[in-house]
Amino acid sequence: MKRMNVAQKIISAHLVEGDPAKDAEIGIRIDQTLTQDATGTMAYLQFESMGVSHVKNDLAVSYVDHNTVQIGFENADDHDFLASVAKKFGIVYSKAGNGICHQLHLERFGKPGTTLLGSDSHTPTGGGIGQIAIGAGGIDIAVAMAGGAFHIPSPKVRAIRLKGRLRRGVSAKDIILKVLEKFGTKGNVGWIFEYTGPGVAALDVPSRATITNMGAELGVTTSVFPSDDVTRQFLAAQGRARDFVRVEADEGAVYDDEFTVDLSKLEPLAAAPHSPGNIVTVASMKGLKVNQVMIGSCTNSSYRDIRTVAQILKGKHVADDVEVGIACGSRQVVNMLAADGSLAVLIKAGCRILENACGFCIGAHMSPSTNAVSLRTNNRNFEGRSGTKSAQVYLVSPETAAASALAGEFVASKGTAAVPAPKKFPVDDAMFLYRETAGKGVKGAKIVRGPNIATVPKGEPLANDLKGVAAIKVGDKITTDHIMPAGARLKFRSNVPEYSKYVFEPCDPTFHDRCLKNRESGLANVIIAGESYGQGSSREHAALCPMYLGVKAVIAKSIERIHRANLINFGIVPFEFENPADYEKVEAGDTLELKGVRSAVAGDGRLVVKCAKGSFAVRTRLSGREKHLVLCGGLLASL
Ligand code: MIC
Ligand code: SF4
């Protein structure tokens, strides 16, 4: 029998289409789904339009954690809509204030050996307990809830071998920053990173989850740890011993590649502005004045993390000119910190205690001041994501964040005693509603639709000849935060016409108006981009809103996995330059001729595009399923 690694074991047990040994797309069965409010409203509107009576997968959970600020009626309208949908269709509803989706799912629902699909790019947090957990656009979650398969490229699996033991002051965040230093934020499409080796056993579940969570920044399909005795202990302490299954790689399992991290040699690291792949040592930053320190987010908001911070701050006070905010991952974490006195320590040390939610991480709270240096324990430091364009955001471990908050400048922590894995977590599921009707739903329950809940636009079939305009030309590593900003604009997620006004706002605020003009004159809008277009989040609005504005194609040097899938789901052709140097041939505003684009999509994906400076060749590599979607004008239009 073939000796399998963890990823292969779980994928082969869930395989419903294709052959992982071939270099093509495969379909897998999805056991669990999760959504969060900012992507969930669209996902459920799409689910509703599929006409299914209730969810068909094992467990669907709808979390509210992104838009909890509620300035104006919009967020609250979304919450009411989500709660009513959950009741009707058999979804568990996690109320605002319960915590951040990934932390909560790990604590209460995630199961080793199963598959989880979430409308959030950090869904791979579940890899910390041996789940194949993948982020995707909302419509893919809707399909999975309706019992459909999810498609991924046949994965290549890279072993990240951990050896040795971490030194004091160095933690899981530094491990994933090291992996990001090695592999960067582009060029990892189609890979699964599997953590193996003797160093794994010494990492507790929250540490493993920090690593798989931030693996999203690599652009991989997912990251996964084995499910072992550490996992067993964690699940038992959560009162979920029955959910444990052991999933470990077979002796001699084969990997497509491997990389070793010697934990004993690791030093505190940071991701410097404005990319999670821009890694520096904390030692090299020593002395840089720090204005703000933010601790929390789905990467570092566990009891282990915040308790560690409390141990470092105990009996001290943060520097006078530094503002410090702490957002815990869940009510469970807050309750534990309250019970053991850590919360009082944090308050006494001068920290601002924030809601258990995404908040600052997505620029929805505590934006830093102009030009501020902000140290944060979250996973993304894209320019402007904090809500302040000129801010210099560095991503660090909780240990480095706490030490720097005290010093008022960038400094590594000397460390503190390890927080032992709790023997018993206090379990209180009262803020998870509709657990009794999960999987069944309540027939006849009414869906509540306030004025913020608009309808989902459908695409149109792809024409054979397109006369187009290069509506914008952007550079490398354009993130979904550039395409579809969050923060102050997040409240329009359920209203596509309104949210579309902000497409590319950080790059070119005139994009929306120009696109509409082009669309009215019968011209197709085309986006020209460099390498790694669409990095970052799973937000399908970065495809849906451009579709609404008449964008028919993206031509890029390369496109990231989740965004590429979202483009296809909304009928936008994801083209790549055959010769990346041709990027130079197109200028913003150029007229483009895409003659025979429909036949090209239906055929081998090759097309010659005419432009002012002559012509250039592009290519799209689509599976049969993907071709069908693009030709129809997207998934909804294909139903
Ligand atoms: C993010 O961290 O960028 C988000 C906000 O959680 C997104 C989802 C969204 O845009 O709603 C993600 O990671 O997918
Ligand atoms: Fe929320 Fe930030 Fe995690 Fe996204 S990365 S889910 S915004 S905490």
Side-chain angles (χ1 to χ4, degrees), residues 194-468:
E194 180 171 319
Y195 290 82
T196 68
V200 164
L203 293 178
D204 57 11
V205 163
S207 301
R208 296 175 181 191
T210 293
I211 294 170
T212 56
N213 168 288
M214 204 170 168
E217 277 36 85
L218 295 155
V220 293
T221 300
T222 191
S223 306
V224 68
F225 272 82
S227 168
D228 57 10
D229 291 339
V230 174
T231 325
R232 179 207 292 274
Q233 192 278 331
F234 174 81
L235 289 173
Q238 288 285 358
R240 299 205 288 129
R242 68 184 180 286
D243 288 343
F244 175 74
V245 290
R246 189 173 291 279
V247 191
E248 286 170 321
D250 292 330
E251 194 66 47
V254 178
Y255 293 88
D256 297 290
D257 187 33
E258 85 173 59
F259 174 66
T260 299
V261 181
D262 186 346
L263 302 182
S264 59
K265 297 222 170 86
L266 213 54
E267 60 178 310
L269 298 172
H274 295 287
S275 169
N278 195 8
I279 308 300
V280 294
T281 61
V282 171
S284 72
M285 301 309 302
K286 194 168 171 5
L288 180 71
K289 173 92 200 69
V290 169
N291 308 95
Q292 186 190 55
V293 174
M294 301 302 298
I295 298 167
S297 91
C298 57
T299 320
N300 281 120
S301 59
S302 63
Y303 173 69
R304 179 257 165 231
D305 286 337
I306 313 294
R307 162 90 199 183
T308 300
V309 169
Q311 286 177 188
I312 295 172
L313 298 187
K314 190 161 186 184
K316 306 195 173 100
H317 202 276
V318 303
D320 286 350
D321 46 4
V322 178
E323 64 170 356
V324 182
I326 299 191
C328 296
S330 68
R331 276 164 82 232
Q332 185 181 78
V333 172
V334 180
N335 278 332
M336 291 172 77
L337 295 170
D340 74 6
S342 301
L343 196 55
V345 168
L346 298 172
I347 295 169
K348 192 139 197 283
C351 304
R352 290 168 65 179
I353 307 298
L354 314 175
E355 191 177 14
N356 322 321
C358 299
F360 74 86
C361 174
I362 196 182
H365 198 182
M366 280 187 82
S367 297
S369 55
T370 305
N371 299 329
V373 170
S374 176
L375 264 56
R376 299 177 162 222
T377 66
N378 59 305
N379 43 40
R380 291 187 173 142
N381 58 346
F382 305 143
E383 189 177 9
R385 181 177 159 103
S386 65
T388 306
K389 193 150 192 235
S390 64
Q392 303 295 306
V393 177
Y394 292 81
L395 307 176
V396 297
S397 68
E399 289 82 346
T400 301
S404 303
L406 290 175
E409 57 180 53
F410 226 124
V411 65
S413 163
K414 292 194 175 65
T416 173
V419 177
K423 291 210 165 51
K424 199 166 167 27
F425 289 95
V427 172
D428 172 1
D429 288 336
M431 284 178 83
F432 289 109
L433 307 190
Y434 313 129
R435 275 169 296 149
E436 8 9 274
T437 49
K440 303 189 283 282
V442 177
K443 249 200 171 149
K446 258 191 97 59
I447 296 188
V448 181
R449 264 177 248 273
N452 196 42
I453 313 292
T455 50
V456 196
K458 264 192 200 169
E460 294 156 4
L462 182 65
N464 198 40
D465 300 328
L466 289 178
K467 214 169 158 39

Side-chain angles (χ1 to χ4, degrees), residues 163-175:
K163 67 172 195 186
R165 272 191 98 91
L166 290 170
R167 289 180 288 160
R168 262 189 170 217
V170 186
S171 65
K173 186 64 157 279
D174 302 302
I175 303 178

Side-chain angles (χ1 to χ4, degrees), residues 36-40 66 101-102 119-123 136 216-217 298 358 361-362 379-380 382 385 480-481 484 486 490 493 499 536-541 562:
Q36 40 88 344
D37 51 307
T39 54
H66 279 61
C101 56
H102 307 303
S119 61
D120 192 282
S121 63
H122 292 104
T123 304
E217 277 36 85
C298 57
C358 299
C361 174
I362 196 182
N379 43 40
R380 291 187 173 142
F382 305 143
R385 181 177 159 103
T480 51
D481 280 274
M484 222 39 279
L490 204 55
R493 282 288 176 91
Y499 199 28
S537 83
S538 69
R539 68 192 68 151
E540 64 189 355
H541 296 77
I562 306 182

Side-chain angles (χ1 to χ4, degrees), residues 411-612:
V411 65
S413 163
K414 292 194 175 65
T416 173
V419 177
K423 291 210 165 51
K424 199 166 167 27
F425 289 95
V427 172
D428 172 1
D429 288 336
M431 284 178 83
F432 289 109
L433 307 190
Y434 313 129
R435 275 169 296 149
E436 8 9 274
T437 49
K440 303 189 283 282
V442 177
K443 249 200 171 149
K446 258 191 97 59
I447 296 188
V448 181
R449 264 177 248 273
N452 196 42
I453 313 292
T455 50
V456 196
K458 264 192 200 169
E460 294 156 4
L462 182 65
N464 198 40
D465 300 328
L466 289 178
K467 214 169 158 39
V469 176
I472 193 167
K473 182 176 177 182
V474 289
D476 292 344
K477 295 191 182 180
I478 288 296
T479 70
T480 51
D481 280 274
H482 292 103
I483 307 169
M484 222 39 279
R489 309 298 183 206
L490 204 55
K491 64 183 184 182
F492 300 121
R493 282 288 176 91
S494 319
N495 189 336
V496 171
E498 194 54 39
Y499 199 28
S500 297
K501 293 183 181 156
Y502 306 103
V503 178
F504 279 120
E505 187 190 25
C507 308
D508 176 0
T510 68
F511 183 81
H512 165 267
D513 292 355
R514 285 185 300 100
C515 278
L516 284 190
K517 243 192 225 144
N518 294 338
R519 195 181 72 178
E520 272 151 32
S521 357
L523 292 170
N525 291 302
V526 178
I527 294 168
I528 306 295
E531 293 278 8
S532 194
Y533 180 70
Q535 279 193 1
S537 83
S538 69
R539 68 192 68 151
E540 64 189 355
H541 296 77
L544 173 55
C545 293
M547 175 195 86
Y548 176 76
L549 297 180
V551 172
K552 300 287 181 196
V554 168
I555 305 178
K557 291 185 186 170
S558 62
I559 306 177
E560 288 298 313
R561 174 188 69 88
I562 306 182
H563 188 57
R564 179 184 171 280
N566 286 337
L567 290 173
I568 293 167
N569 281 342
F570 291 99
I572 299 177
V573 195
F575 278 122
E576 290 180 356
F577 288 99
E578 286 267 44
N579 172 7
D582 284 342
Y583 170 82
E584 304 304 335
K585 281 195 182 161
V586 202
E587 291 309 326
D590 281 359
T591 307
L592 301 173
E593 220 178 290
L594 285 76
K595 219 168 172 298
V597 62
R598 188 177 174 89
S599 318
V601 166
D604 67 359
R606 291 175 200 273
L607 183 74
V608 174
V609 179
K610 275 202 191 146
C611 64

